[in-house]
Amino acid sequence: MAYSRLNASAATNTKLRTGNDYSPFSGMCVTCLDGCIGFCEIGKSSIRGREYIYPKPYGKVTAAGQKDYPVDFSHFNIVGTAVGAYGIEANPDVATFPNVNIETVISNSNGKILLNLPFFTTGLGSTDIARENWEGVAIGCAISGTIVGIGENVCGVDPNSEIKNGRIIKSPEMERRVKLYQNWKMDNYGAVIVQENVEDNRLKVLEYVIEKLGVEFVELKWGQGAKDIGGEIKLPTIERAKELKRRGYIVYPDPEDPIVEEEYRKGGIKEFERHSRLGMVEKEGFIRRVEELRKAGAKYISLKTGAYRPLDLARALNYASDAKIDLLIIDGAGGGTGMSPWRMMNEWGIPTVYLESLTYQYCEILSKKGKFIPTIAIAGGFCFEDQIFKGLALGAPYVKLIAMGRAPITAAMVGKTIGKLIKEGKIPQEYKEFGDTIEQIFIASADLKKRFGKDFDKIPPSAIGLYTYFDRLATGLKQFMAGARKFSLKYISRDDIFALTKEASEVSGIPYVMDLDKEQAEKMLLE
């Protein structure tokens, strides 16, 4: 059985001439015809080459891996029970799902950050799709009372940035992003996190946002689950390519090469790629950077790491423990991105369930040694409340948050689109039955109007869309928790899920369904 689908995908706008008749190990048409114009990825790559490394159309889509991993969260189910209640009075009139508490907290000696939800949006960086949908994501997260993350390269890519002596001194785009969140932030709830990579570090982006923009939560980035190279974007003009090369980025092809310049003028080269450098991690430098940021005024520090080999996961946990950072985000393969190489998204890295299972094992080792363990968030393909519950349970008690990227952008984009169509009087058939105004069509409008009064009209439909989606996730999560009789997040445990296959059980250490409660059940039958 092949887990991957090769040579044809909607992500790259490619298909097979022979449809479903293809070679499972190569992905090629079972017969490759001389004379075919090249519908498949091989064919199109023979004409446009490296352009077909990436999903299309760039700047208008997010993409996630298509590989069907042997074990994922669908291979687990959530346990329910008919007795008791944890965290609330075991009374049918009290232990109702609306009374489930899903608030959580990140705290240290500097204070605490309350979160209204145990999930948040992370690492939206310099891609066009992140920039164009930031308003909805930022405001939606703010009014939901949760975290939002500003990803890498935002200042470096901002065409209006001001750089002096190699340091960023002003970035209108970064200011816009931070202020959009801060202006709508719920009292005492949530935070905006700003991330740095190699180029950001050289520009001293985190010092800038701490000193000039009042950001209290900053993040060091080792990588992500979608790829094991630096961040990438595409550049439409040679002038923009030259500008970013001057700012220290890797630009491909070289816009200052005379042959490249000539081909660009002739129309043979239509775009350029900007790439970030690979980070080189070592413990002394990591701890030194954490201390630099604390001295600069950062109150909370996070590390985001990717789906690297197990030794690097252990490295991240060890360094995070010794530096006593506040949040560690661990991102598994199979998640999404605004721009990553398509085959890399499918064929690189440890998938989320495997990576989280290793995380639990390693945290157990640290815990037995009495070592500090930061709050841990797991990322990598989460979209719905059942996955959120399973993610929290699989890593309990160490995993306390779920980080999401692609799904919140989708919610914001759809909210933006429907809001625009409502304004134009072009309401899609799917939503006509609900009415013809924002208030009638977006179900969470009544709640938001109650909270914000006249300011409701200032909330963009994109943010209403994200808030409404998050409300659905929160409600569904509360229902699952009530069914498991866990009325507060701290009571969720690995005992709240079971494995549907023996392979899933072996990977995770979660009991196989036929072994669940076996001894206790047999004992009860003999009473």
Side-chain angles (χ1 to χ4, degrees):
M1 175 184 176
Y3 295 119
S4 296
R5 175 70 186 270
L6 296 164
N7 204 30
S9 173
T12 52
N13 288 334
T14 53
K15 59 184 179 181
L16 299 180
R17 179 184 58 82
T18 58
N20 287 326
D21 272 343
Y22 65 93
S23 168
F25 48 86
S26 71
M28 295 176 67
C29 293
V30 69
T31 57
C32 185
L33 179 68
D34 188 4
C36 176
I37 65 171
F39 301 104
C40 68
E41 198 165 319
I42 294 172
K44 291 193 173 182
S45 296
S46 73
I47 308 300
R48 299 303 299 175
R50 61 178 177 267
E51 289 182 9
Y52 277 84
I53 290 175
Y54 305 100
K56 299 175 176 297
Y58 169 69
K60 298 297 181 184
V61 298
T62 63
Q66 223 172 5
K67 189 166 185 173
D68 189 6
Y69 294 116
V71 177
D72 61 29
F73 281 110
S74 72
H75 294 198
F76 301 87
N77 263 23
I78 297 167
V79 176
T81 182
V83 298
Y86 290 86
I88 203 169
E89 181 186 351
N91 180 326
D93 295 321
V94 178
T96 62
F97 86 82
N99 286 334
V100 173
N101 180 7
I102 59 171
E103 288 191 357
T104 189
V105 63
I106 298 173
S107 63
N108 62 23
S109 60
N110 291 316
K112 61 183 178 180
I113 296 171
L114 299 174
L115 300 177
N116 197 40
L117 307 169
F119 47 87
F120 66 96
T121 307
T122 181
L124 304 186
S126 59
T127 60
D128 288 346
I129 203 159
R131 174 178 51 79
E132 292 171 5
N133 292 286
W134 179 257
E135 180 183 52
V137 173
I139 297 175
C141 286
I143 63 180
S144 297
T146 194
I147 290 169
V148 71
I150 299 175
E152 59 194 353
N153 296 314
V154 171
C155 290
V157 168
D158 183 356
N160 298 309
S161 283
E162 296 177 22
I163 300 171
K164 186 176 181 181
N165 297 325
R167 289 186 61 151
I168 191 82
I169 59 171
K170 186 176 179 61
S171 169
E173 174 60 16
M174 179 63 82
E175 290 182 17
R176 179 184 78 93
R177 295 202 190 193
V178 171
K179 288 178 180 178
L180 271 171
Y181 183 87
Q182 290 175 337
N183 290 343
W184 287 90
K185 181 179 177 296
M186 289 175 61
D187 291 343
N188 302 318
Y189 283 86
V192 59
I193 301 178
V194 179
Q195 189 181 86
E196 79 165 16
N197 65 359
V198 173
E199 287 81 8
D200 294 323
N201 178 278
R202 291 175 178 178
L203 290 171
K204 298 303 177 188
V205 166
L206 296 189
E207 281 83 353
Y208 163 67
V209 299
I210 292 168
E211 296 165 7
K212 302 296 184 182
L213 304 182
V215 171
E216 296 181 339
F217 208 148
V218 295
E219 182 169 284
L220 305 177
K221 183 176 183 181
W222 287 5
Q224 57 280 303
K227 57 190 173 187
D228 58 347
I229 59 173
E232 304 140 300
I233 61 170
K234 292 197 175 186
L235 309 169
T237 68
I238 195 166
E239 292 77 19
R240 186 83 168 108
K242 288 180 177 180
E243 178 185 40
L244 293 193
K245 184 180 179 183
R246 287 194 299 269
R247 290 185 178 182
Y249 288 103
I250 300 166
V251 179
Y252 184 78
D254 184 353
E256 295 177 344
D257 184 324
I259 296 175
V260 170
E261 291 189 79
E262 183 178 355
E263 286 301 310
Y264 174 79
R265 287 196 297 271
K266 291 179 178 179
I269 294 174
K270 299 184 182 298
E271 61 187 12
F272 297 82
E273 301 165 12
R274 182 234 65 197
H275 296 267
S276 297
R277 287 166 174 78
L278 299 174
M280 298 296 166
V281 175
E282 50 89 21
K283 190 168 189 176
E284 183 180 335
F286 176 80
I287 293 176
R288 182 171 61 248
R289 184 60 178 150
V290 169
E291 290 306 314
E292 287 174 355
L293 292 170
R294 284 177 174 145
K295 289 177 182 177
K299 292 184 178 180
Y300 307 93
I301 295 175
S302 171
L303 167 65
K304 185 178 183 184
T305 189
Y308 301 121
R309 62 188 313 125
L311 182 57
D312 286 329
L313 173 62
R315 197 185 319 276
L317 285 161
N318 178 274
Y319 293 10
S321 177
D322 285 357
K324 291 185 169 51
I325 65 170
D326 304 288
L327 176 65
L328 173 60
I329 303 173
I330 300 170
D331 192 4
T337 179
M339 177 170 171
S340 289
W342 174 239
R343 298 311 310 158
M344 189 177 288
M345 269 195 282
N346 287 275
E347 302 301 328
W348 170 79
I350 300 177
T352 307
V353 166
Y354 300 80
L355 196 64
E356 185 172 4
S357 298
L358 289 170
T359 298
Y360 172 78
Q361 294 175 26
Y362 297 171
C363 285
E364 283 284 276
I365 294 171
L366 292 176
S367 178
K368 288 173 182 176
K369 290 188 174 182
K371 296 197 71 174
F372 172 81
I373 300 174
T375 295
I376 294 175
I378 292 292
F382 290 92
C383 295
F384 294 106
E385 60 269 22
D386 53 299
Q387 296 169 317
I388 292 170
F389 185 102
K390 293 172 188 177
L392 294 171
L394 182 62
Y398 309 109
V399 172
K400 296 181 172 63
L401 292 167
I402 301 299
M404 307 167 71
R406 192 169 179 237
I409 294 179
T410 296
M413 288 193 297
V414 172
K416 176 182 67 176
T417 298
I418 298 304
K420 180 175 180 289
L421 292 174
I422 292 171
K423 186 177 181 180
E424 295 172 351
K426 301 176 182 178
I427 300 167
Q429 191 64 40
E430 288 87 345
Y431 301 111
K432 280 186 177 180
E433 63 176 293
F434 304 112
D436 56 11
T437 66
I438 293 285
E439 291 90 336
Q440 292 170 332
I441 290 176
F442 286 85
I443 195 170
S445 294
D447 177 48
L448 290 173
K449 289 190 81 171
K450 181 179 178 180
R451 283 177 56 192
F452 292 99
K454 293 181 180 179
D455 286 339
F456 170 79
D457 294 331
K458 298 177 183 178
I459 304 175
S462 53
I464 299 175
L466 179 56
Y467 175 88
T468 306
Y469 167 62
F470 275 2
D471 180 65
R472 173 256 161 92
L473 296 184
T475 302
L477 178 60
K478 288 181 178 183
Q479 290 173 341
F480 273 120
M481 290 176 64
R485 308 298 177 104
K486 302 297 177 70
F487 284 81
S488 182
L489 292 170
K490 67 181 180 180
Y491 296 108
I492 291 179
S493 71
R494 285 167 60 85
D495 193 46
D496 288 320
I497 56 176
F498 60 83
L500 295 169
T501 68
K502 290 188 176 181
E503 183 176 7
S505 177
E506 182 180 349
V507 165
S508 65
I510 297 295
Y512 175 54
V513 57
M514 300 309 292
D515 297 326
L516 185 69
D517 292 347
K518 187 175 182 179
E519 291 183 9
Q520 300 95 312
E522 290 175 353
K523 183 179 179 181
M524 178 167 286
L525 291 170
L526 295 173
E527 286 181 354

